PDB file of all heavy atoms in Angstrom:
ATOM      1  N   MET A 878       0.822  -1.208   0.000  1.00  0.00           N
ATOM      2  CA  MET A 878       0.000   0.000   0.000  1.00  0.00           C
ATOM      3  C   MET A 878       0.855   1.255   0.000  1.00  0.00           C
ATOM      4  O   MET A 878       0.601   2.187  -0.765  1.00  0.00           O
ATOM      5  CB  MET A 878      -0.942   0.015   1.202  1.00  0.00           C
ATOM      6  CG  MET A 878      -1.832   1.257   1.184  1.00  0.00           C
ATOM      7  SD  MET A 878      -2.861   1.381   2.633  1.00  0.00           S
ATOM      8  CE  MET A 878      -3.307   3.112   2.570  1.00  0.00           C
ATOM      9  N   ILE A 879       1.875   1.295   0.843  1.00  0.00           N
ATOM     10  CA  ILE A 879       2.690   2.511   0.921  1.00  0.00           C
ATOM     11  C   ILE A 879       3.493   2.698  -0.365  1.00  0.00           C
ATOM     12  O   ILE A 879       3.692   3.831  -0.819  1.00  0.00           O
ATOM     13  CB  ILE A 879       3.586   2.518   2.191  1.00  0.00           C
ATOM     14  CG1 ILE A 879       3.979   3.954   2.570  1.00  0.00           C
ATOM     15  CG2 ILE A 879       4.826   1.680   2.040  1.00  0.00           C
ATOM     16  CD1 ILE A 879       2.872   4.770   3.149  1.00  0.00           C
ATOM     17  N   LEU A 880       3.911   1.609  -1.001  1.00  0.00           N
ATOM     18  CA  LEU A 880       4.607   1.727  -2.286  1.00  0.00           C
ATOM     19  C   LEU A 880       3.656   2.191  -3.392  1.00  0.00           C
ATOM     20  O   LEU A 880       4.058   2.937  -4.288  1.00  0.00           O
ATOM     21  CB  LEU A 880       5.261   0.403  -2.670  1.00  0.00           C
ATOM     22  CG  LEU A 880       6.526   0.033  -1.905  1.00  0.00           C
ATOM     23  CD1 LEU A 880       7.007  -1.361  -2.302  1.00  0.00           C
ATOM     24  CD2 LEU A 880       7.626   1.063  -2.151  1.00  0.00           C
ATOM     25  N   SER A 881       2.410   1.772  -3.322  1.00  0.00           N
ATOM     26  CA  SER A 881       1.413   2.244  -4.284  1.00  0.00           C
ATOM     27  C   SER A 881       1.172   3.735  -4.118  1.00  0.00           C
ATOM     28  O   SER A 881       1.065   4.477  -5.102  1.00  0.00           O
ATOM     29  CB  SER A 881       0.094   1.492  -4.110  1.00  0.00           C
ATOM     30  OG  SER A 881       0.251   0.136  -4.431  1.00  0.00           O
ATOM     31  N   ALA A 882       1.089   4.183  -2.871  1.00  0.00           N
ATOM     32  CA  ALA A 882       0.905   5.610  -2.609  1.00  0.00           C
ATOM     33  C   ALA A 882       2.101   6.411  -3.116  1.00  0.00           C
ATOM     34  O   ALA A 882       1.944   7.474  -3.731  1.00  0.00           O
ATOM     35  CB  ALA A 882       0.694   5.845  -1.113  1.00  0.00           C
ATOM     36  N   LEU A 883       3.294   5.891  -2.880  1.00  0.00           N
ATOM     37  CA  LEU A 883       4.496   6.556  -3.393  1.00  0.00           C
ATOM     38  C   LEU A 883       4.463   6.609  -4.915  1.00  0.00           C
ATOM     39  O   LEU A 883       4.784   7.638  -5.518  1.00  0.00           O
ATOM     40  CB  LEU A 883       5.750   5.822  -2.907  1.00  0.00           C
ATOM     41  CG  LEU A 883       7.089   6.358  -3.415  1.00  0.00           C
ATOM     42  CD1 LEU A 883       7.295   7.818  -3.023  1.00  0.00           C
ATOM     43  CD2 LEU A 883       8.238   5.489  -2.891  1.00  0.00           C
ATOM     44  N   SER A 884       4.060   5.513  -5.542  1.00  0.00           N
ATOM     45  CA  SER A 884       3.967   5.466  -7.003  1.00  0.00           C
ATOM     46  C   SER A 884       3.004   6.524  -7.530  1.00  0.00           C
ATOM     47  O   SER A 884       3.291   7.205  -8.520  1.00  0.00           O
ATOM     48  CB  SER A 884       3.511   4.081  -7.464  1.00  0.00           C
ATOM     49  OG  SER A 884       4.450   3.092  -7.106  1.00  0.00           O
ATOM     50  N   CYS A 885       1.864   6.668  -6.863  1.00  0.00           N
ATOM     51  CA  CYS A 885       0.878   7.687  -7.267  1.00  0.00           C
ATOM     52  C   CYS A 885       1.458   9.092  -7.150  1.00  0.00           C
ATOM     53  O   CYS A 885       1.281   9.928  -8.044  1.00  0.00           O
ATOM     54  CB  CYS A 885      -0.379   7.584  -6.406  1.00  0.00           C
ATOM     55  SG  CYS A 885      -1.378   6.119  -6.699  1.00  0.00           S
ATOM     56  N   GLY A 886       2.144   9.347  -6.048  1.00  0.00           N
ATOM     57  CA  GLY A 886       2.735  10.663  -5.847  1.00  0.00           C
ATOM     58  C   GLY A 886       3.806  10.983  -6.868  1.00  0.00           C
ATOM     59  O   GLY A 886       3.827  12.070  -7.452  1.00  0.00           O
ATOM     60  N   LEU A 887       4.699  10.019  -7.089  1.00  0.00           N
ATOM     61  CA  LEU A 887       5.779  10.233  -8.058  1.00  0.00           C
ATOM     62  C   LEU A 887       5.219  10.440  -9.463  1.00  0.00           C
ATOM     63  O   LEU A 887       5.661  11.333 -10.200  1.00  0.00           O
ATOM     64  CB  LEU A 887       6.743   9.052  -8.041  1.00  0.00           C
ATOM     65  CG  LEU A 887       7.608   8.917  -6.779  1.00  0.00           C
ATOM     66  CD1 LEU A 887       8.331   7.575  -6.775  1.00  0.00           C
ATOM     67  CD2 LEU A 887       8.606  10.064  -6.675  1.00  0.00           C
ATOM     68  N   ALA A 888       4.244   9.628  -9.848  1.00  0.00           N
ATOM     69  CA  ALA A 888       3.647   9.770 -11.182  1.00  0.00           C
ATOM     70  C   ALA A 888       2.982  11.128 -11.338  1.00  0.00           C
ATOM     71  O   ALA A 888       3.034  11.738 -12.411  1.00  0.00           O
ATOM     72  CB  ALA A 888       2.639   8.649 -11.430  1.00  0.00           C
ATOM     73  N   SER A 889       2.371  11.625 -10.273  1.00  0.00           N
ATOM     74  CA  SER A 889       1.693  12.917 -10.323  1.00  0.00           C
ATOM     75  C   SER A 889       2.657  14.068 -10.569  1.00  0.00           C
ATOM     76  O   SER A 889       2.372  14.960 -11.357  1.00  0.00           O
ATOM     77  CB  SER A 889       0.923  13.170  -9.023  1.00  0.00           C
ATOM     78  OG  SER A 889      -0.078  12.205  -8.832  1.00  0.00           O
ATOM     79  N   VAL A 890       3.794  14.034  -9.896  1.00  0.00           N
ATOM     80  CA  VAL A 890       4.724  15.168 -10.022  1.00  0.00           C
ATOM     81  C   VAL A 890       5.661  15.043 -11.221  1.00  0.00           C
ATOM     82  O   VAL A 890       6.190  16.050 -11.694  1.00  0.00           O
ATOM     83  CB  VAL A 890       5.547  15.387  -8.731  1.00  0.00           C
ATOM     84  CG1 VAL A 890       4.637  15.702  -7.558  1.00  0.00           C
ATOM     85  CG2 VAL A 890       6.437  14.208  -8.407  1.00  0.00           C
ATOM     86  N   GLU A 891       5.848  13.840 -11.719  1.00  0.00           N
ATOM     87  CA  GLU A 891       6.792  13.648 -12.819  1.00  0.00           C
ATOM     88  C   GLU A 891       6.142  13.663 -14.200  1.00  0.00           C
ATOM     89  O   GLU A 891       6.838  13.680 -15.210  1.00  0.00           O
ATOM     90  CB  GLU A 891       7.553  12.329 -12.631  1.00  0.00           C
ATOM     91  CG  GLU A 891       8.474  12.346 -11.430  1.00  0.00           C
ATOM     92  CD  GLU A 891       9.167  11.010 -11.193  1.00  0.00           C
ATOM     93  OE1 GLU A 891       8.981  10.082 -12.014  1.00  0.00           O
ATOM     94  OE2 GLU A 891       9.865  10.893 -10.174  1.00  0.00           O
ATOM     95  N   SER A 892       4.825  13.665 -14.255  1.00  0.00           N
ATOM     96  CA  SER A 892       4.127  13.651 -15.543  1.00  0.00           C
ATOM     97  C   SER A 892       3.869  15.073 -16.025  1.00  0.00           C
ATOM     98  O   SER A 892       3.811  16.020 -15.242  1.00  0.00           O
ATOM     99  CB  SER A 892       2.804  12.894 -15.418  1.00  0.00           C
ATOM    100  OG  SER A 892       3.046  11.555 -15.049  1.00  0.00           O
ATOM    101  N   ASP A 893       3.697  15.209 -17.325  1.00  0.00           N
ATOM    102  CA  ASP A 893       3.440  16.506 -17.935  1.00  0.00           C
ATOM    103  C   ASP A 893       1.942  16.795 -17.852  1.00  0.00           C
ATOM    104  O   ASP A 893       1.166  16.388 -18.719  1.00  0.00           O
ATOM    105  CB  ASP A 893       3.915  16.505 -19.395  1.00  0.00           C
ATOM    106  CG  ASP A 893       3.813  17.873 -20.039  1.00  0.00           C
ATOM    107  OD1 ASP A 893       3.723  18.874 -19.289  1.00  0.00           O
ATOM    108  OD2 ASP A 893       3.793  17.942 -21.282  1.00  0.00           O
ATOM    109  N   LEU A 894       1.538  17.490 -16.788  1.00  0.00           N
ATOM    110  CA  LEU A 894       0.132  17.765 -16.537  1.00  0.00           C
ATOM    111  C   LEU A 894      -0.141  19.263 -16.640  1.00  0.00           C
ATOM    112  O   LEU A 894       0.760  20.077 -16.453  1.00  0.00           O
ATOM    113  CB  LEU A 894      -0.255  17.283 -15.133  1.00  0.00           C
ATOM    114  CG  LEU A 894       0.029  15.814 -14.802  1.00  0.00           C
ATOM    115  CD1 LEU A 894      -0.269  15.541 -13.332  1.00  0.00           C
ATOM    116  CD2 LEU A 894      -0.782  14.897 -15.699  1.00  0.00           C
ATOM    117  N   ILE A 895      -1.392  19.607 -16.909  1.00  0.00           N
ATOM    118  CA  ILE A 895      -1.761  21.022 -16.929  1.00  0.00           C
ATOM    119  C   ILE A 895      -1.640  21.593 -15.520  1.00  0.00           C
ATOM    120  O   ILE A 895      -1.624  20.854 -14.533  1.00  0.00           O
ATOM    121  CB  ILE A 895      -3.206  21.219 -17.438  1.00  0.00           C
ATOM    122  CG1 ILE A 895      -4.214  20.600 -16.444  1.00  0.00           C
ATOM    123  CG2 ILE A 895      -3.381  20.678 -18.848  1.00  0.00           C
ATOM    124  CD1 ILE A 895      -5.607  21.166 -16.552  1.00  0.00           C
ATOM    125  N   HIS A 896      -1.582  22.914 -15.415  1.00  0.00           N
ATOM    126  CA  HIS A 896      -1.631  23.578 -14.113  1.00  0.00           C
ATOM    127  C   HIS A 896      -3.079  23.513 -13.662  1.00  0.00           C
ATOM    128  O   HIS A 896      -3.941  24.194 -14.209  1.00  0.00           O
ATOM    129  CB  HIS A 896      -1.160  25.026 -14.227  1.00  0.00           C
ATOM    130  CG  HIS A 896      -0.849  25.666 -12.916  1.00  0.00           C
ATOM    131  ND1 HIS A 896      -1.823  26.092 -12.047  1.00  0.00           N
ATOM    132  CD2 HIS A 896       0.337  25.915 -12.325  1.00  0.00           C
ATOM    133  CE1 HIS A 896      -1.253  26.606 -10.973  1.00  0.00           C
ATOM    134  NE2 HIS A 896       0.070  26.511 -11.114  1.00  0.00           N
ATOM    135  N   GLY A 897      -3.355  22.646 -12.705  1.00  0.00           N
ATOM    136  CA  GLY A 897      -4.735  22.388 -12.323  1.00  0.00           C
ATOM    137  C   GLY A 897      -5.054  22.755 -10.897  1.00  0.00           C
ATOM    138  O   GLY A 897      -4.167  22.973 -10.066  1.00  0.00           O
ATOM    139  N   THR A 898      -6.339  22.788 -10.608  1.00  0.00           N
ATOM    140  CA  THR A 898      -6.837  23.138  -9.283  1.00  0.00           C
ATOM    141  C   THR A 898      -8.121  22.368  -9.032  1.00  0.00           C
ATOM    142  O   THR A 898      -8.807  21.975  -9.976  1.00  0.00           O
ATOM    143  CB  THR A 898      -7.112  24.661  -9.192  1.00  0.00           C
ATOM    144  OG1 THR A 898      -5.909  25.373  -9.467  1.00  0.00           O
ATOM    145  CG2 THR A 898      -7.611  25.076  -7.815  1.00  0.00           C
ATOM    146  N   MET A 899      -8.432  22.194  -7.764  1.00  0.00           N
ATOM    147  CA  MET A 899      -9.712  21.596  -7.374  1.00  0.00           C
ATOM    148  C   MET A 899     -10.417  22.574  -6.438  1.00  0.00           C
ATOM    149  O   MET A 899      -9.775  23.440  -5.832  1.00  0.00           O
ATOM    150  CB  MET A 899      -9.484  20.249  -6.685  1.00  0.00           C
ATOM    151  CG  MET A 899      -8.838  19.214  -7.577  1.00  0.00           C
ATOM    152  SD  MET A 899      -8.592  17.609  -6.771  1.00  0.00           S
ATOM    153  CE  MET A 899     -10.280  16.966  -6.805  1.00  0.00           C
ATOM    154  N   ALA A 900     -11.725  22.433  -6.342  1.00  0.00           N
ATOM    155  CA  ALA A 900     -12.493  23.307  -5.451  1.00  0.00           C
ATOM    156  C   ALA A 900     -13.678  22.545  -4.873  1.00  0.00           C
ATOM    157  O   ALA A 900     -14.271  21.698  -5.543  1.00  0.00           O
ATOM    158  CB  ALA A 900     -12.985  24.544  -6.203  1.00  0.00           C
ATOM    159  N   ALA A 901     -13.990  22.872  -3.634  1.00  0.00           N
ATOM    160  CA  ALA A 901     -15.188  22.334  -2.980  1.00  0.00           C
ATOM    161  C   ALA A 901     -16.348  23.264  -3.302  1.00  0.00           C
ATOM    162  O   ALA A 901     -16.204  24.484  -3.274  1.00  0.00           O
ATOM    163  CB  ALA A 901     -14.973  22.263  -1.471  1.00  0.00           C
ATOM    164  N   VAL A 902     -17.505  22.678  -3.638  1.00  0.00           N
ATOM    165  CA  VAL A 902     -18.684  23.456  -4.017  1.00  0.00           C
ATOM    166  C   VAL A 902     -19.890  22.959  -3.228  1.00  0.00           C
ATOM    167  O   VAL A 902     -20.092  21.750  -3.085  1.00  0.00           O
ATOM    168  CB  VAL A 902     -18.959  23.320  -5.541  1.00  0.00           C
ATOM    169  CG1 VAL A 902     -20.214  24.099  -5.929  1.00  0.00           C
ATOM    170  CG2 VAL A 902     -17.765  23.790  -6.356  1.00  0.00           C
ATOM    171  N   GLY A 903     -20.683  23.891  -2.739  1.00  0.00           N
ATOM    172  CA  GLY A 903     -21.864  23.549  -1.948  1.00  0.00           C
ATOM    173  C   GLY A 903     -23.083  23.228  -2.783  1.00  0.00           C
ATOM    174  O   GLY A 903     -24.181  23.738  -2.520  1.00  0.00           O
ATOM    175  N   LEU A 904     -22.898  22.390  -3.793  1.00  0.00           N
ATOM    176  CA  LEU A 904     -23.995  21.915  -4.632  1.00  0.00           C
ATOM    177  C   LEU A 904     -23.768  20.440  -4.926  1.00  0.00           C
ATOM    178  O   LEU A 904     -22.629  20.003  -5.065  1.00  0.00           O
ATOM    179  CB  LEU A 904     -24.049  22.663  -5.971  1.00  0.00           C
ATOM    180  CG  LEU A 904     -24.435  24.135  -5.968  1.00  0.00           C
ATOM    181  CD1 LEU A 904     -24.253  24.720  -7.365  1.00  0.00           C
ATOM    182  CD2 LEU A 904     -25.863  24.322  -5.498  1.00  0.00           C
ATOM    183  N   GLY A 905     -24.841  19.688  -5.064  1.00  0.00           N
ATOM    184  CA  GLY A 905     -24.725  18.296  -5.445  1.00  0.00           C
ATOM    185  C   GLY A 905     -24.500  18.162  -6.939  1.00  0.00           C
ATOM    186  O   GLY A 905     -24.717  19.105  -7.712  1.00  0.00           O
TER     187      GLY A 905
END
């Protein structure tokens, strides 16, 4: 599990991704 989490983190920062953001919204 911890190696999977590390893999997810490394893939996230090392991949060519757009400059993105998330937001919480008070609507369903």
Side-chain angles (χ1 to χ4, degrees):
M878 182 184 162
I879 203 72
L880 285 175
S881 295
L883 177 59
S884 297
C885 290
L887 290 170
S889 298
V890 299
E891 293 177 4
S892 298
D893 186 19
L894 305 174
I895 66 158
H896 195 284
T898 301
M899 297 181 76
V902 178
L904 292 173

